């Protein structure tokens, strides 16, 4: 991974000014003494964890692959996006069976009756396994979805259903743990000191990823490489810290919206995961960069106008791969009626690269700073590395903003209102107040 900032207008001396600050926050992260330090378990989870857990995950994944053609993964936010991001990035976009694993479908990430009804209709005649994931064990969206999916499993498999449901949750407490114990489900533990959005490399992400046929040993090699590389205290030798500092400098220059740009459709859910990671970590105390995303060149035909010419509050972080899983030559057509024969010496990926280079220069001249994340290859090891890179950047970035990057107090507000309006016990006063507002 190389973070290039030649197209941001920032020079090295601006970066170097952050050297001492970065080294102070680096020590706080490594020694777990800074804000939210009780949630820093993710930094070294994969180097410290008892490796037999990976064997347990791979064994169950193999069992799922041989006994099922659909794995329903139930979860939301940090208990959903990491698995989806990695699976979509590393499996075939169209082939029904991802990398010789099982096809993974997601539920409990919304409250749409239409979505769930259509999903259950679609899978009802397939052989199914379920992985229900919730750290708190009480989140409404996955809990509702699980109630219905549990019913489907029991109707379909009777007593056997309990062997096809795996719960990933807190090791000590919570409604999902109680239910799992009562029903006899197999369980995986979400460590206490790892918050949802930092949990992709725990069983939360690893079980669905492994079941989808992705080699988790390889993924974790990338995590280990990133753990070593981004533990360097030296700002100018640590690409994750560099990226954090560049973002911070741009924010101070009034660029408070970041667009994570991809040129590969497989990366769309990585961008969704990125938005949760940075949005939930930095957006507090009226601070933070608003994280957004775009898929180019698709979105150049929709959002391109705004990016080039709209309000100048934006910067872009562009992900560029040197090597991609597939490519195609552009064929010659003797008639050349579409006028494309000038491209026949090129492959699709080369055309895409020219789109990237042209767009970068156009946006830069439109006063949109561009950071480029150069990655060797879109493959398992580099995806592991990339996600860890983002987590380390995010932790440093939050500290530079002087916020706690590991809590999410703001998420509670909507839940309180929703519970009150739904008539949950204990919310009677708030219910009256909200209903009065609605009927005003
Ligand atoms: O990052 C987070 O903490 C959140 O996105 C949670 O993961 C999300 O709200 C789901 O919570 P839980 O796993 O407790 O169901």
């Amino acid at each position: 991974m190389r973070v290039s900032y030649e197209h941001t207008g920032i020079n090295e001396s601006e970066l170097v000014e952050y050297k001492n600050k970065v080294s102070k926050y680096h020590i706080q992260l490594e020694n777990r003494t800074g804000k939210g330090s009780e949630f820093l378990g993710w930094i070294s989870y994969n180097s410290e964890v008892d490796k037999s857990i990976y064997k347990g995950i791979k064994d169950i994944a193999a069992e799922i692959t041989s006994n099922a053609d659909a794995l329903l993964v139930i979860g939301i936010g940090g208990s959903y996006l990491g698995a989806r991001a990695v699976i979509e990035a590393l499996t075939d976009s169209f082939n029904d069976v991802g990398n010789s694993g099982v096809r993974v479908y997601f539920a409990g990430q919304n409250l749409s009756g239409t979505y769930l009804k259509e999903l259950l209709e679609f899978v009802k005649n397939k052989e199914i396994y379920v992985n229900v994931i919730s750290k708190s064990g009480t989140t409404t969206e996955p809990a509702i979805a699980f109630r219905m999916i549990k019913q489907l499993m029991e109707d379909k498999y009777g007593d056997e259903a309990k062997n096809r449901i795996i719960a990933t949750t807190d090791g000590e407490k919570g409604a999902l743990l109680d239910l799992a114990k009562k029903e006899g489900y197999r369980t995986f533990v979400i460590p206490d000191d790892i918050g949802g959005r930092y949990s992709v490399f725990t069983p939360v992400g690893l079980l669905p990823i492994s079941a989808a046929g992705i080699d988790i040993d390889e993924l974790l090699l990338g995590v280990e490489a990133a753990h070593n590389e981004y533990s360097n205290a030296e700002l100018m030798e640590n690409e994750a810290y560099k990226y954090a500092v560049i973002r911070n400098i741009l924010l101070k220059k009034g660029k408070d919206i970041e667009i994570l740009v991809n040129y590969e459709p497989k990366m769309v859910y990585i961008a969704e995961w990125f938005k949760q990671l940075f949005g939930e970590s930095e957006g507090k105390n009226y601070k933070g960069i608003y994280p957004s995303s775009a898929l180019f060149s698709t979105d150049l035909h929709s959002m391109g106008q705004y990016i080039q010419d709209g309000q100048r509050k934006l910067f872009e972080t562009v992900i560029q791969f040197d090597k991609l899983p597939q490519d195609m030559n552009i064929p010659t057509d003797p008639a050349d009626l579409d006028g494309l024969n000038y491209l026949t010496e090129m492959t699709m990926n080369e055309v895409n690269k020219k789109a990237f280079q042209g767009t970068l220069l156009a946006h830069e001249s439109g006063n949109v700073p561009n950071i480029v994340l150069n990655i060797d290859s879109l493959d398992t090891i580099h995806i592991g590395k990339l996600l860890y890179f983002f987590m380390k950047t995010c932790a440093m970035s939050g500290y530079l903003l002087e916020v706690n990057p590991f809590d999410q107090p703001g998420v509670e507000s909507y839940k309180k209102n929703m519970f009150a309006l739904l008539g949950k016990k204990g919310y009677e006063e708030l219910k009256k107040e909200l209903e009065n507002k609605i009927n005003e």
Side-chain angles (χ1 to χ4, degrees), residues 145-202:
F146 183 55
R147 182 178 274 214
M148 293 184 215
I149 289 170
K150 179 174 182 283
Q151 189 68 63
L152 177 144
M153 295 296 282
E154 287 167 356
D155 292 347
K156 192 174 162 79
Y157 295 107
D159 206 32
E160 178 57 19
K162 66 173 190 298
N163 299 327
R164 290 178 164 260
I165 297 174
I166 292 114
T168 306
T169 188
D170 190 278
E172 304 287 329
K173 59 186 183 311
L176 180 56
L177 182 68
D178 294 344
L179 185 67
K181 279 187 186 156
K182 186 177 159 288
E183 299 285 355
Y185 303 151
R186 284 170 288 176
T187 54
F188 283 102
V189 174
I190 308 178
D192 260 354
D193 56 356
I194 303 183
R197 60 192 177 275
Y198 292 86
S199 70
V200 56
F201 300 122
T202 73

Side-chain angles (χ1 to χ4, degrees), residues 314-346:
L314 313 168
F315 70 94
E316 289 169 298
T317 297
V318 187
I319 296 186
Q320 259 306 297
F321 293 102
D322 287 345
K323 240 176 85 202
L324 288 155
Q326 307 281 355
D327 202 358
M328 287 184 86
N329 289 314
I330 297 172
T332 310
D333 178 348
D336 195 26
L337 294 177
D338 51 14
L340 290 181
N341 273 355
Y342 78 104
L343 297 176
T344 55
E345 297 294 301
M346 297 185 116

Side-chain angles (χ1 to χ4, degrees), residues 76-79 133-137 139 142 196-197 276 280 408 415:
I76 195 166
S79 292
I133 309 171
S134 176
K135 186 172 182 191
S136 61
T139 308
R197 60 192 177 275
Q276 185 201 355
E280 221 168 52
Q408 54 284 330
K415 287 188 193 164

